[in-house]
Amino acid sequence: MTEHDTETAQDGPFRTTREAARFLKLKPNTLEKMRVYGGGPQYRKHGRHVRYHIDDLTAWSDMRKKDSTSDV
C-alpha cells in the first residue's frame, strides 16, 4: 500500500481547498482563483462546500509534466 492509498483509506478521497492546496504545494487562494478563471483541477460542490477528489488533483498535476523548459 502506498502513502497515497493509506491517506485515502483513512481520510476518504475528498479534500478541502486548504488540504488540496497543501497536497499540490500551492496557496489556497491560488486554487480559489483557478475556480473563477479556470485552469485548475476539477472540483465538486457538496452542498455549499467545495471538495477536490484526490484523483483529480493527481490527474491535474500529471497533465503538467514537462521534459524541459522548452516544453509549451
Side-chain angles (χ1 to χ4, degrees):
M1 207 182 230
T2 65
E3 179 182 331
H4 167 75
D5 294 334
T6 303
E7 184 176 342
T8 300
Q10 291 174 351
D11 299 333
F14 295 102
R15 301 289 180 261
T16 64
T17 300
R18 185 179 302 236
E19 292 166 339
R22 190 177 318 121
F23 178 81
L24 295 171
K25 307 291 192 260
L26 298 172
K27 292 183 179 184
N29 190 37
T30 301
L31 286 179
E32 291 166 0
K33 287 181 181 178
M34 288 177 166
R35 285 200 304 267
V36 174
Y37 297 111
Q42 290 184 330
Y43 65 94
R44 299 150 197 234
K45 292 284 288 204
H46 294 184
R48 64 185 177 113
H49 302 283
V50 172
R51 295 292 183 257
Y52 292 89
H53 195 282
I54 195 80
D55 293 339
D56 294 333
L57 297 174
T58 302
W60 181 80
S61 178
D62 287 344
M63 289 188 328
R64 277 145 187 76
K65 286 182 187 177
K66 307 290 182 210
D67 290 327
S68 73
T69 56
S70 64
D71 286 349
V72 178

